[in-house]
Amino acid sequence: MKSFTYEKANSPAAAAAAAAGSSNARFIAGGTNLLDLMKLEIETPSHLIDVNGLAFDKIEPTQEGGLRIGALVRNTALAADERIRRDYGLLSRALLSGASGQLRNKATTAGNLLQRTRCPYFYDTNQPCNKRTPGSGCAAIGGVTRQHAVLGSSESCIATHPSDMAIAMRALDATVETVRPDGTTRAIPIADLHRLPGETPHIETTLSAGELITSVTLPKPVGGTHIYRKVRDRASYAFALVSVGAIVQRDGTGRVAVGGVAHKPWRVEAAEAEMPRGAKAVATRLLDGARPTRDNSFKLALVERTLAAVLSEAKG
Amino acid sequence: MKFDTPATTNPIDQLKIIGHATNRIDGPLKTTGRATYAYEWHDAGARPAYGYVVGSAIAKGRITSIDLSRAKAAPGVIAIVSAENAGKLGKGKYNTAKLLGGPEIDHYHQAVAVVVADTFEQARAAAQLVRVDYSAEKGSFDLSATRDGAAKPPGEGDEKAETAVGDFAGAFAAAPVQLDATYTTPDQSHAMMEPHASMAAWEGDKLTLWTSNQMIAWTTGDVAKTLGLPKENVRLVSPFIGGGFGGKLFLRSDAILAALGARAANRPVKVALQRPLIINNTTHRPATIQRIRIGATREGKISAIGHESWSGNLPEGSPETAVMQTRLLYAGENRMTALRLAMLDLPEGNSMRAPGEAPGMMALEIAMDEMAERLNLDPVEFRARNDTQVDPEHPDRPFSQRQLVECMRIGAERFGWSRRNAKPGGQRDGRWLVGMGMAAAFRNNLLMKSGARVRLDSSGTVTVETDMTDIGTGSYTIIAQTAAEMMGLPLDKVVVRLGDSSFPVSAGSGGQFGANNSTSGVYAACVKLREAVAQKLGFNSADVSFSDGQVSSGNQSVPLGQAAADSELVAEDSIEYGDLAKTHQQSTFGAHFVELGVDVATAEIRIRRMLAVCAAGRVLNPKTARSQVIGAMTMGVGAALMEELAVDKRTGFFVNHDLAGYEVPVHADIPHQETIFLDETDPMSSPMKAKGIGELGLCGVAAALANAVYNATGIRVRDYPITLDKLLHHMPDA
Amino acid sequence: MPTPNEFEISRRNLLVGTVTSVAIGASHGANAQNAASRSHAPAQGMPATAKVSFSVNGEVRALELDTRTTLLDALREHLHLTGTKKGCDHGQCGACTVIVGGQRVNSCLTLAVMHEGDSVTTIEGLGTPEHMHPMQTAFVTHDGFQCGYCTPGQICSAVAVLDEIKAGIPSHVTGDLTIAPQLTNAELRERMSGNICRCGAYSNIAEAITEVAGRPA
């Protein structure tokens, strides 16, 4: 870990100013992913701005009937919130399937969205990785790829996004609110937050330098049956091989987003339209254009079978 | 004490303390965080500096240059040691690859330098500034690709590469019912919770290492050999070890680099291997390819059994002896086994819990299940029909004890085996396909010389000193129980001191030989102490008895401490063995039963129930013995369902080299586990009449799971681990 | 395969980072009034340090630390409270679990300087060999450990888990999210899954926790 200076910001303006003054500063909140990566010098900030003192730790109703979740709300608190449990069960379920109790107590809403891939080649600094060292190549391609992406990958990167929460946020059409160093704010639809790797896998989101997530807003509840099904090798404390987050209405329509398959939460509106026709129809559209490797081609069947199980469970 | 005739009645048979479920005497220290592990000796002397290890970025080749200039200039850096300035280093007797690489590199993450700095943070940061340039060479990393070129390894006695009895080929060809199947087991990691760690301090040319090591005498010798020191100049201290499983049998780079770092820094230095380095830097259980052929009569009598195993290792490395159990476990007149060893440039393969039998039983016990099905026999019945009470390769050698059939029958009864639906895929519970599986358990019992010293003081307290280690096995407690039983004392009048090379050499912890041998060494020392006490008190040693803290002879009875009233009494002895292990085959037996569910949609496997029945001689402490067995069962779940070091066959390293990538079972994977120990004493094994149990519990578990998966789904997976991707395409529609 | 060239690239990048860090440390001095607390701007080439004070097991401890020091290393290397273990240093094992402000966390993945004013409970604070916490006693009685290295983390986690269930926090295996979770074996196992025990004492640990949970409060 490289040496860094540290400050605790006590207002969003102070945080923004601190970020503006530095080309190599990072915000730190939960720290559960950032510090992990700093120890390996995959992340090498020279200045840390501790934003834990900012008042982004509340869950509040919005005028539209939804909920605004402060960026610093911890994963445990979010999953346990009564309104989330009642109206956005998918989100609660997704959160609870991720990491461990200890990590969920620290990890924040914003940090969860911004966590980086678990590709083992990204984590091993001896290996070339376009995401870690742009232009160095991708050691994963042609290597051990059981957990890698089958959709939306590129010649530069086949990493997946590891978040469970983000899958639920995507299905719930959440909006990410931010403040930029110049003090301006904006709202980013969750669909537009994460990027596909393309030729620039090191650029993972559409956030600009120093832009700070302040909250994530959920639209008003859409009802339906909420199911988050995470498939993994061991029963807990493991990343998904594949996960399916779905909201299914009585008439069989609904929403579905899939994790463990791409560099971002995967949701295809055309596939959703097929939900009343069943898992095979949805999977065909959802997985259109898939480019699996020999190691991970099973994910295609797994997505379809998991979808089938989820739709069947929703029927009750 | 020479043990060369079967044990008769001795003080251990009183079973006042031995044989009772006893809380660990080190429990209060461990559960309150007061047990001191290798990296935690901050009271031992001068404040240590911190070493951080740099691992090789290539698997095979050479270092062309090392540039230390930036690292040396980094804040807090005191010294950097690499092969360039380490001086001449030997290689330990028990090491295959050298522990400090350069200029030649033998495997990925082989240590190439240690950076010593005033703080951990400084050492870690400076290590990143060490610039190493390599010239990589093409290596051999793929076992299946090198299988055909694999050679017959050298090996003698129990380690011999081939055995043959009768006419295997002819009998197999003639057998009306046959199986010829190939199984694979992957490379596995010990993944003990405490990283390999050591603190080194020099006084002149004398070195003290506080370390985490299973085999104190082996490792003391290898430290001396590697550093070119007389053995008496090296002291190892290792009273608490945060797990080993074979990964800490040997001297590893943490200890040597701490010693070299401390010499260079002229200050104590401590080194813990960083977790992402451990898997490739240290040793692992090698992958195997195993071909098993079984021929039987229609009545289910095995007429031919053959087992061949291929594994790989670095030059001078050993094979994984996966055929060992097949030489002994089942009857059959015509038999063959063979080991083949390929040269691979992966990290060093070496012992992991039950080397040989653990992966061997993973394959053999699936094969037995497959054969039973072909014969339309219950798997328990098929195994029972092929029981043997003698070594099938040498029928003049009976087993000292062999209750395999009893283990299976009692297990079947207790588990409700009769409720198993023999038709695969026939049991459904909601979204789950439910299956039961079983396997035999088998592991040899090894006899090793083991010594101890016992001291009696005037308060009547006995202190045991031996370099035996407790790696979680419960050594502290069973040694205390042994001394208490022998000297007629309550447990709290015994103090046990372990893991110090200044103490008498013991068997150490490995190969499930620790418990029986180390307590037998304590037994021997206590026999001497009893004699010394009797002599001191002027008692007739023929009728002297030790009980309730008193020594009695005739109608005289005095407190034990009185024998040491004027000076401490000290006795030291070892247990040494004659040829009982040659005349009698000593093995441990058991049976594993598992019930599990396989998700009909996703093929995720979740365990519902587990039972192990063990017959392994006298159980010294049923509480810690149970823990050994359930722990082994848990490791067997990992082996069956998730553990695999994924090899990048292009560049030659284990890719998933941390605890997120290399998954081992978590709480949620493990249901309540049952264990049963059969009442057994084995007078051939030792005066304790005990045998090993810590590895028996692992051997067969994975196969029981594999057989249960087959019973649940009708899908036979012969390549471990049984992950859902291997089932998915054969699963029924959800 | 990392060619020497690629290796060189990554090393060079690291060096660039070092130079930058000095420049930025200096550039932040001007904004001091905006920050509640900050590290000392480092002297040329020296690591940044910061003062922090928090309570550990009821005792206030003031430290001046390299900013990179984790809470785990502050406890182990600076306060010599080595009961909290370092198993992986990356949040992958749970051996470092401590209770901060009533919540269990992985002390390896949090910086000590981020804990100004916090209240930390470690295994040493739960009990002593002479006066053990009921959870510690239950672990001994049920042999809920073997090598002992994951044990402090398991026990800290177990104590916190019972509080989490009492507080109504659901888990992955909670059937109905709208009602309070029950204290079942499945709930305990799921909630304890962030604490790996390679010795495999899980079955006994579950029994130890169940015994403590079943005691009248």
Side-chain angles (χ1 to χ4, degrees):
Chain A
M1 192 186 291
K2 295 195 116 31
S3 185
F4 56 84
T5 47
Y6 167 85
E7 71 180 289
K8 202 168 169 97
N10 57 7
S11 71
S22 164
S23 62
N24 196 17
R26 293 275 191 291
F27 299 116
I28 184 166
T32 53
N33 192 211
L34 180 60
L35 290 172
D36 170 33
L37 295 169
M38 285 170 65
K39 289 178 185 192
L40 300 166
E41 296 201 4
I42 294 166
E43 294 273 10
T44 53
S46 50
H47 185 64
L48 281 187
I49 305 157
D50 182 346
V51 295
N52 283 295
L54 306 187
F56 302 148
D57 57 351
K58 293 175 190 63
I59 305 172
E60 296 164 321
T62 63
Q63 286 184 343
E64 291 74 28
L67 288 175
R68 180 172 294 114
I69 303 158
L72 292 169
V73 172
R74 308 289 153 170
N75 288 177
T76 298
L78 183 56
D81 185 272
E82 279 183 24
R83 295 159 292 181
I84 300 291
R85 284 155 79 174
R86 185 186 62 222
D87 297 331
Y88 306 93
L90 176 60
L91 178 57
S92 199
R93 291 281 182 209
L95 282 160
L96 295 169
S97 75
S100 67
Q102 292 95 311
L103 290 163
R104 292 193 297 270
N105 281 344
K106 275 307 253 184
T108 63
T109 306
N112 190 317
L113 287 174
L114 298 180
Q115 64 182 301
R116 307 196 67 190
T117 185
R118 292 284 161 170
C119 172
Y121 295 95
F122 170 72
Y123 262 79
D124 186 334
T125 52
N126 290 323
Q127 305 301 318
C129 170
N130 290 319
K131 186 183 278 299
R132 179 171 18 84
T133 310
S136 62
C138 172
I141 295 173
V144 175
T145 57
R146 183 167 177 266
Q147 59 174 276
H148 287 77
V150 294
L151 288 159
S153 58
S154 71
E155 298 304 314
S156 297
C157 180
I158 58 170
T160 57
H161 196 274
S163 170
D164 293 296
M165 187 196 77
I167 307 305
M169 291 292 196
R170 180 71 181 89
L172 289 165
D173 280 331
T175 304
V176 177
E177 284 97 23
T178 69
V179 57
R180 284 179 282 203
D182 64 3
T184 59
T185 61
R186 63 170 173 155
I188 308 167
I190 184 84
D192 299 335
L193 179 70
H194 297 103
R195 295 162 45 104
L196 289 177
E199 289 175 8
T200 54
H202 59 292
I203 305 172
E204 295 171 349
T205 69
T206 51
L207 298 181
S208 54
E211 189 168 4
L212 178 68
I213 296 177
T214 53
S215 60
V216 178
T217 296
L218 299 173
K220 72 171 195 245
V222 296
T225 301
H226 289 222
I227 298 173
Y228 187 76
R229 185 72 188 275
K230 180 174 183 175
V231 183
R232 44 189 163 178
D233 288 321
R234 67 182 178 194
S236 188
Y237 200 20
F239 294 96
L241 291 166
V242 155
S243 68
V244 171
I247 301 171
V248 187
Q249 305 296 346
R250 277 175 190 278
D251 61 2
T253 63
R255 305 173 181 191
V256 61
V258 179
V261 294
H263 200 256
K264 59 187 285 186
W266 201 255
R267 184 175 170 198
V268 176
E269 271 76 4
E272 264 173 20
E274 302 285 341
M275 281 174 73
R277 275 173 289 284
K280 191 170 185 62
V282 177
T284 303
R285 290 287 182 99
L286 194 68
L287 301 173
D288 188 35
R291 291 197 309 169
T293 66
R294 202 183 62 176
D295 287 358
N296 67 21
S297 62
F298 74 93
K299 286 190 176 184
L300 304 185
L302 186 57
V303 165
E304 183 182 328
R305 296 182 71 98
T306 308
L307 260 170
V310 165
L311 296 182
S312 155
E313 184 185 337
K315 271 185 200 158
Chain B
M1 174 184 288
K2 184 93 169 177
F3 182 77
D4 51 10
T5 55
T8 54
T9 302
N10 66 45
I12 294 297
D13 294 318
Q14 300 172 94
L15 300 182
K16 288 181 180 168
I17 293 171
I18 287 288
H20 295 264
T22 304
N23 288 346
R24 284 171 204 260
I25 61 171
D26 49 335
L29 288 179
K30 283 181 172 175
T31 55
T32 60
R34 268 73 170 186
T36 309
Y37 295 81
Y39 203 71
E40 301 168 354
W41 291 89
H42 52 82
D43 289 337
R47 193 175 80 80
Y50 293 79
Y52 199 88
V53 179
V54 179
S56 169
I58 63 166
K60 186 177 166 68
R62 291 177 63 83
I63 293 173
T64 52
S65 69
I66 298 190
D67 178 358
L68 301 179
S69 54
R70 291 178 187 87
K72 275 186 176 162
V77 171
I78 300 165
I80 303 176
V81 181
S82 71
E84 284 181 352
N85 63 356
K88 187 172 153 37
L89 295 178
K91 195 175 85 177
K93 180 181 169 189
Y94 297 96
N95 294 129
T96 301
K98 55 188 187 295
L99 299 175
L100 179 60
E104 288 84 17
I105 295 298
D106 304 308
H107 62 86
Y108 194 72
H109 276 177
Q110 185 173 33
V112 296
V114 62
V115 177
V116 179
D118 195 49
T119 71
F120 172 71
E121 292 76 22
Q122 291 168 336
R124 180 176 57 193
Q128 293 280 350
L129 300 174
V130 173
R131 181 177 146 163
V132 186
D133 288 322
Y134 300 92
S135 167
E137 288 167 27
K138 198 168 149 42
S140 175
F141 308 122
D142 183 351
L143 175 63
S144 62
T146 53
R147 172 180 165 173
D148 290 343
K152 178 179 161 182
E156 294 165 11
D158 292 343
E159 302 284 311
K160 56 189 174 289
E162 293 180 351
T163 60
V165 176
D167 170 20
F168 170 77
F172 180 71
V177 182
Q178 298 173 344
L179 173 79
D180 180 349
T182 298
Y183 307 84
T184 63
T185 63
D187 297 287
Q188 294 176 343
S189 182
H190 310 84
M192 74 297 283
M193 298 315 297
E194 182 203 23
H196 302 72
S198 296
M199 182 170 91
W202 292 88
E203 257 182 82
D205 57 356
K206 289 197 160 69
L207 171 68
T208 302
L209 272 168
W210 292 264
T211 189
S212 182
N213 192 278
Q214 302 173 225
M215 300 295 288
I216 299 302
W218 289 7
T219 301
T220 304
D222 270 357
V223 170
K225 187 158 182 267
T226 306
L227 296 177
L229 297 170
K231 196 171 164 177
E232 55 274 17
N233 284 14
V234 180
R235 180 165 171 223
L236 255 63
V237 182
S238 186
F240 291 101
I241 296 137
F245 313 111
K248 293 175 181 168
L249 284 169
F250 316 114
L251 172 65
R252 296 304 314 168
S253 60
D254 58 299
I256 282 304
L257 295 176
L260 292 171
R263 189 152 69 186
N266 198 23
R267 181 173 156 187
V269 166
K270 60 181 184 176
V271 175
L273 298 185
Q274 57 268 29
R275 181 60 69 176
L277 191 81
I278 291 177
I279 281 177
N280 286 283
N281 177 270
T282 68
T283 62
H284 65 279
R285 188 202 298 284
T288 66
I289 300 169
Q290 301 180 48
R291 182 187 186 196
I292 295 177
R293 284 173 288 173
I294 304 175
T297 65
R298 293 200 189 284
E299 296 71 40
K301 281 281 189 190
I302 293 174
S303 53
I305 184 164
H307 192 162
E308 298 153 86
S309 175
W310 290 259
S311 60
N313 215 332
L314 289 164
E316 300 174 43
S318 305
E320 180 67 34
T321 56
V323 304
M324 299 291 277
Q325 71 291 321
T326 309
R327 294 170 180 170
L328 291 161
L329 188 49
Y330 297 114
E333 281 183 22
N334 304 285
R335 8 192 358 114
M336 66 81 67
T337 65
L339 294 170
R340 291 292 179 268
L341 178 61
M343 212 76 94
L344 290 181
D345 299 298
L346 291 170
E348 175 177 335
N350 217 317
S351 295
M352 178 169 147
R353 198 175 196 170
E357 281 104 325
M361 291 292 278
M362 287 168 78
L364 177 63
E365 290 298 289
I366 297 182
M368 289 298 284
D369 200 65
E370 296 199 58
M371 234 4 230
E373 188 182 35
R374 285 178 194 203
L375 289 157
N376 202 23
L377 282 176
D378 182 273
V380 171
E381 178 60 24
F382 174 53
R383 287 175 174 85
R385 283 187 193 180
N386 291 286
D387 189 42
T388 172
Q389 292 294 318
V390 299
D391 172 353
E393 289 187 351
H394 308 95
D396 54 325
R397 293 178 72 232
F399 284 92
S400 60
Q401 297 277 358
R402 179 172 163 125
Q403 298 198 72
L404 172 61
V405 174
E406 291 79 358
C407 288
M408 293 191 296
R409 299 264 192 242
I410 289 167
E413 170 70 26
R414 183 70 73 93
F415 199 70
W417 181 249
S418 62
R419 295 199 302 273
R420 167 178 175 265
N421 186 340
K423 184 174 172 291
Q427 194 80 25
R428 181 90 184 239
D429 174 14
R431 69 186 236 212
W432 299 97
L433 298 171
V434 180
M436 284 192 211
M438 64 82 56
F442 173 89
R443 171 75 171 143
N444 276 333
N445 183 57
L446 304 174
L447 300 180
M448 310 257 291
K449 181 180 174 184
S450 192
R453 182 162 56 224
V454 284
R455 303 173 179 276
L456 172 66
D457 69 20
S458 58
S459 75
T461 298
V462 168
T463 300
V464 184
E465 295 173 339
T466 163
D467 84 352
M468 180 60 192
T469 49
D470 188 330
I471 61 173
T473 38
S475 308
Y476 275 106
T477 309
I478 55 172
I479 284 172
Q481 288 175 276
T482 302
E485 191 81 77
M486 289 299 290
M487 303 311 299
L489 291 172
L491 210 55
D492 63 7
K493 296 294 274 184
V494 179
V495 174
V496 181
R497 301 177 65 198
L498 300 181
D500 188 322
S501 62
S502 67
F503 298 155
V505 174
S506 73
S509 298
Q512 77 170 11
F513 52 64
N516 179 47
N517 293 292
S518 70
T519 53
S520 295
V522 173
Y523 171 94
C526 286
V527 167
K528 269 204 173 164
L529 183 60
R530 286 164 63 111
E531 286 163 5
V533 167
Q535 192 180 10
K536 182 84 183 179
L537 295 173
F539 287 0
N540 175 6
S541 64
D543 79 336
V544 71
S545 73
F546 294 74
S547 181
D548 301 324
Q550 296 285 119
V551 193
S552 311
S553 177
N555 47 16
Q556 285 179 285
S557 183
V558 299
L560 179 62
Q562 195 169 311
D566 45 355
S567 70
E568 186 184 52
L569 280 186
V570 184
E572 181 176 333
D573 201 3
S574 294
I575 190 84
E576 293 178 73
Y577 297 93
D579 62 358
L580 288 175
K582 293 197 179 72
T583 58
H584 291 74
Q585 175 58 36
Q586 297 190 16
S587 303
T588 60
F589 297 89
H592 289 287
F593 293 83
V594 176
E595 183 178 69
L596 51 73
V598 182
D599 187 292
V600 70
T602 63
E604 290 163 288
I605 299 164
R606 299 292 179 253
I607 302 166
R608 300 182 159 207
R609 296 190 294 138
M610 298 183 82
L611 166 69
V613 185
C614 301
R618 173 174 280 152
V619 175
L620 304 174
N621 181 352
K623 185 171 279 194
T624 50
R626 169 183 151 82
S627 288
Q628 282 285 287
V629 174
I630 65 168
M633 291 157 79
T634 301
M635 192 174 274
V637 170
L641 303 186
M642 62 193 82
E643 291 182 39
E644 176 175 22
L645 290 170
V647 181
D648 188 314
K649 291 171 184 169
R650 305 164 303 176
T651 46
F653 73 107
F654 299 128
V655 174
N656 49 341
H657 52 70
D658 61 23
L659 289 176
Y662 186 78
E663 290 186 12
V664 301
V666 297
H667 276 273
D669 292 302
I670 304 300
H672 175 73
Q673 293 165 321
E674 291 284 351
T675 59
I676 297 171
F677 299 115
L678 297 195
D679 197 15
E680 180 176 299
T681 49
D682 193 336
M684 303 291 176
S685 70
S686 75
M688 302 301 293
K689 305 173 188 174
K691 289 188 287 202
I693 202 155
E695 298 188 336
L696 174 68
L698 174 60
C699 299
V701 180
L705 280 145
N707 296 338
V709 169
Y710 176 74
N711 181 244
T713 63
I715 304 165
R716 185 66 78 177
V717 179
R718 299 185 183 86
D719 301 295
Y720 290 99
I722 307 168
T723 45
L724 59 89
D725 44 303
K726 294 171 185 169
L727 298 170
L728 212 53
H729 288 286
H730 311 283
M731 290 290 285
D733 288 336
Chain C
M1 168 52 83
T3 65
N5 265 347
E6 284 155 351
F7 201 68
E8 192 174 333
I9 288 166
S10 80
R11 291 300 182 209
R12 192 170 291 145
N13 282 350
L14 296 172
L15 293 174
V16 170
T18 310
V19 175
T20 319
S21 105
V22 176
I24 285 166
S27 82
H28 274 276
N31 289 329
Q33 71 276 15
N34 289 335
S37 66
R38 67 168 58 245
S39 59
H40 297 167
Q44 183 72 31
M46 287 310 290
T49 61
K51 286 184 176 164
V52 65
S53 157
F54 45 77
S55 121
V56 182
N57 302 327
E59 190 182 338
V60 175
R61 309 298 294 257
L63 295 165
E64 174 149 8
L65 297 169
D66 187 319
T67 52
R68 293 170 291 188
T69 311
T70 59
L71 178 59
L72 173 62
D73 285 330
L75 293 169
R76 283 172 62 82
E77 306 303 327
H78 295 266
L79 300 176
H80 292 166
L81 290 168
T82 54
T84 307
K85 302 303 182 193
K86 185 185 279 190
C88 73
D89 216 14
H90 287 276
Q92 301 165 353
C93 79
C96 66
T97 303
V98 298
I99 301 170
V100 179
Q103 291 194 316
R104 56 182 172 145
V105 301
N106 293 130
S107 62
C108 75
L109 285 187
T110 189
L111 295 169
V113 295
M114 295 169 73
H115 289 281
E116 180 63 37
D118 277 351
S119 169
V120 181
T121 302
T122 71
I123 190 70
E124 291 93 342
L126 286 181
T128 66
E130 296 74 31
H131 300 283
M132 292 164 70
H133 185 281
M135 192 65 79
Q136 292 168 325
T137 305
F139 267 62
V140 173
T141 309
H142 291 275
D143 213 34
F145 62 98
Q146 293 183 47
C147 80
Y149 201 77
C150 76
T151 312
Q154 300 274 358
I155 291 173
C156 285
S157 215
V159 168
V161 158
L162 295 185
D163 288 342
E164 287 169 15
I165 294 176
K166 258 185 219 153
I169 294 167
S171 87
H172 172 60
V173 299
T174 304
D176 183 347
L177 284 179
T178 61
I179 59 173
Q182 305 301 299
L183 203 152
T184 63
N185 183 265
E187 283 281 4
L188 288 181
R189 285 163 49 198
E190 162 59 24
R191 290 165 191 268
M192 289 298 295
S193 285
N195 292 85
I196 293 176
C197 171
R198 184 59 159 163
C199 295
Y202 297 134
S203 182
N204 289 352
I205 291 171
E207 279 162 36
I209 302 173
T210 303
E211 187 204 300
V212 174
R215 284 182 187 168

